Amino acid sequence: MKIIDLEPGDARLTTDLLPVLLELRPHLTEELFLTVLAEGRGQGLRFTAAYDADGACVGAAGWRIVATTSVVRKLYVDDLVTSATARSTGVGHALLAHLEQHALDARCTTLALDSGTQRTDAHRFYFRERMAVTAFSFDKPLG
C-alpha cells in the first residue's frame, strides 16, 4: 500500500480520491468538491489517498491541523473512508497511522474525528484503533 498526501491542483484529487470520497459523501459533485477544496485550503484542509498494489485508490482522508483552546492543537479528520471493495484490508489503519504521524510531527495533542451515530461499523473500527468517545457533537441545520 502506498499513502500519498495530495497537493492542491493534483489531478488525482478528482480522478482518484473523489470517487472513493463519494462513498462517504455522496452529495458531492466534482464542482462542489473543487469549491470546498479552494475554500478549505485556506483553512488548512488537505487530502491523503491510499493506493493498493495495483495502483487503484482505495482510501481517502481529508484532514487539517486546528488550534483550539480545549487541546491547544489537534489534527482533525474531516473524512476517512475506505472503498467498499477494500474494507478490512488495513487501509483505514494505514491512513490513521499516517495521519497520526502528521499529528506528532506538528506537535498536536490529539487526533480527532466525528462519526455519524448510524455508522456503527466505523465506530467498531475506531475503538479497535484505540480511539475513545470524548464528547458529543451537536449540529443545528440552518436554512
Side-chain angles (χ1 to χ4, degrees), residues 39-63:
E39 185 174 342
R41 185 63 182 170
Q43 300 167 359
L45 180 61
R46 308 231 13 200
F47 281 92
T48 299
Y51 291 87
D52 67 13
D54 295 327
C57 184
V58 292
W63 57 278

Side-chain angles (χ1 to χ4, degrees), residues 39-88:
E39 185 174 342
R41 185 63 182 170
Q43 300 167 359
L45 180 61
R46 308 231 13 200
F47 281 92
T48 299
Y51 291 87
D52 67 13
D54 295 327
C57 184
V58 292
W63 57 278
R64 60 187 86 215
I65 305 289
V66 181
T68 71
T69 56
S70 60
V71 295
V72 181
R73 183 180 295 113
K74 69 179 171 182
L75 188 146
Y76 180 77
V77 181
D78 292 69
D79 310 288
L80 182 66
V81 59
T82 299
S83 69
T85 58
R87 295 217 175 104
S88 299

Side-chain angles (χ1 to χ4, degrees), residues 11-57:
R12 293 174 293 184
L13 285 162
T14 53
T15 61
D16 297 356
L17 185 133
L18 181 57
V20 176
L21 186 59
L22 285 171
E23 293 187 37
L24 179 66
R25 309 284 186 223
H27 65 280
L28 290 175
T29 61
E30 183 173 335
E31 181 181 358
L32 183 55
F33 179 61
L34 292 172
T35 299
V36 169
L37 280 174
E39 185 174 342
R41 185 63 182 170
Q43 300 167 359
L45 180 61
R46 308 231 13 200
F47 281 92
T48 299
Y51 291 87
D52 67 13
D54 295 327
C57 184

